[in-house]
Amino acid sequence: MMKRWVRCCVLTCLMTLAASRPEAAPMTDSEVIEAPGPAGPLSGTALGPPNSRAPVVLIIPGSGPTDRNGNNPLGVRASSYRLIAEGLAARGIRSVRIDKRGMFGSARAISDANAVTMEDYAADIRSWVATIRERMGAPCVWALGHSEGGLVALVAAQRAPDICGLLLVSTTGRRLGDVLRDQIGANPANAPIREQAEVLITRLEDGQRVAPEDIHPALFPLFRPEVQGFLISAFALDPAKLIAAYTGPALILQGLRDIQVGRIDAERLHQAHPNAKTILLPNANHVLKAVASNDRAANIATYQDPDQPLADGVIEALAAFVRRPQKDG
């Protein structure tokens, strides 16, 4: 079904180198839901109480071939999005978790899953918001973006008045090029390729593609030609500027055991949008599982454990923010 998983998860690659609408039909506890895509339907799973007055959270997946449950074939099986949906449902909050265009249940939405931009993904989020409002009777939809999904949510929110607010989970506050520079530079083993990585990042930031023969083999998984169009679109975005332009409610949720996105990112987002509520979870990692130490191997092991529950405070923070009176950020 998935023929094109060429565009790998950037961060994973680096690791391994409220009124209701009574006319709307009620949803069952769990069912497949579809939204219009560019060439075919986008697919997701709706979960929660069949109550048209309950809030709805749209869960936007992170980078690469990450599915609606939060898993991908690059070694992530934490099922974090499924666990979020189940935790919210237990608190009376509905959710829709989705597959990205060209992938998994949304494979028919586009013929080439790599032929995408960040604006394409944002357009799909706007399609989902409209569908959820019509299908589930929600007056507006909360956009929960995880990792790269947070950046997608920020882009979508610039032109989506029916988004209730943003839930930015493990979302970078820096430009992606700067994140890559830091991650590559943090590993001493990358010293031989650091200079070329800088050249590649700078060229993509300038909107220029790079020929395959100019890419070091060790950097090819990150910068291969098939993904350069997407990277150019992503490198052009500054999350801090996007959130500064957003006037609605925002929650910034960051785990302090996250080895992919850090406290500096949460702080930069908050500085750009001081009314946002920021919650730092001391023992949560990037996939929102509990990690008790700085042991990198133990941290990464949680990426492959769907049975480990989410870290304390994750569901509580999300549910409390969605349920709270919306007076300020």
Side-chain angles (χ1 to χ4, degrees):
M1 186 175 189
M2 274 291 297
K3 301 184 290 294
R4 296 179 177 87
W5 275 339
V6 178
R7 188 171 71 79
C8 68
C9 168
V10 170
L11 295 174
T12 300
C13 284
L14 285 171
M15 287 175 58
T16 59
L17 257 138
S20 67
R21 292 183 179 181
E23 74 278 9
M27 304 295 294
T28 59
D29 284 351
S30 177
E31 69 176 73
V32 172
I33 182 173
E34 291 185 340
L42 302 163
S43 182
T45 298
L47 180 68
N51 175 4
S52 63
R53 301 187 69 87
V56 183
V57 174
L58 174 62
I59 302 173
I60 306 168
S63 58
T66 300
D67 68 16
R68 69 186 73 184
N69 290 325
N71 302 324
N72 71 50
L74 302 177
V76 180
R77 298 189 293 274
S79 292
S80 300
Y81 307 158
R82 174 182 59 80
L83 293 171
I84 288 173
E86 292 172 352
L88 293 176
R91 288 160 176 79
I93 298 171
R94 298 175 293 173
S95 68
V96 175
R97 58 190 195 272
I98 60 175
D99 291 331
K100 294 187 285 187
R101 64 164 68 183
M103 300 184 187
F104 309 104
S106 299
R108 292 179 293 156
I110 189 173
S111 60
D112 183 356
N114 291 310
V116 295
T117 64
M118 291 296 287
E119 177 54 40
D120 290 334
Y121 283 152
D124 292 344
I125 297 311
R126 291 189 284 268
S127 178
W128 272 115
V129 169
T131 296
I132 291 169
R133 292 186 68 231
E134 177 182 2
R135 178 73 177 88
M136 301 175 69
C140 60
V141 178
W142 291 90
L144 186 161
H146 174 250
S147 194
E148 180 187 282
L151 188 54
V152 174
L154 282 166
V155 176
Q158 307 301 308
R159 293 193 290 114
D162 295 325
I163 288 180
C164 311
L166 298 175
L167 310 171
L168 303 176
V169 181
S170 307
T171 298
T172 180
R174 296 165 289 159
R175 290 180 182 270
L176 181 57
D178 292 334
V179 175
L180 293 184
R181 288 183 178 96
D182 287 351
Q183 292 192 346
I184 291 172
N187 187 348
N190 290 331
I193 60 173
R194 193 176 303 157
E195 184 175 346
Q196 193 193 56
E198 173 61 33
V199 172
L200 294 174
I201 292 170
T202 300
R203 288 184 62 182
L204 291 168
E205 287 175 332
D206 290 340
Q208 302 175 25
R209 290 180 177 267
V210 182
E213 59 269 23
D214 294 333
I215 305 173
H216 189 285
L219 293 170
F220 203 82
L222 285 174
F223 300 107
R224 61 185 67 171
E226 296 92 336
V227 306
Q228 289 182 19
F230 175 80
L231 290 175
I232 288 171
S233 76
F235 283 7
L237 299 172
D238 184 343
K241 289 184 178 180
L242 289 171
I243 197 172
Y246 176 70
T247 59
L251 170 68
I252 301 165
L253 185 65
Q254 179 63 46
L256 298 184
R257 299 288 187 187
D258 192 331
I259 56 178
Q260 296 179 243
V261 176
R263 182 173 189 157
I264 186 175
D265 295 290
E267 291 173 344
R268 190 167 191 266
L269 290 172
H270 184 79
Q271 288 168 2
H273 188 9
N275 286 334
K277 183 176 181 61
T278 300
I279 296 179
L280 304 176
L281 299 177
N283 293 318
N285 69 359
H286 192 68
V287 293
L288 307 176
K289 300 298 181 80
V291 180
S293 72
N294 291 324
D295 185 333
R296 185 179 180 87
N299 193 315
I300 294 175
T302 69
Y303 286 56
Q304 301 181 19
D305 188 356
D307 296 323
Q308 180 177 342
L310 297 176
D312 290 343
V314 172
I315 296 299
E316 293 81 0
L318 295 172
F321 192 78
V322 169
R323 290 287 193 186
R324 90 199 203 294
Q326 301 302 320
K327 295 181 180 179
D328 49 38

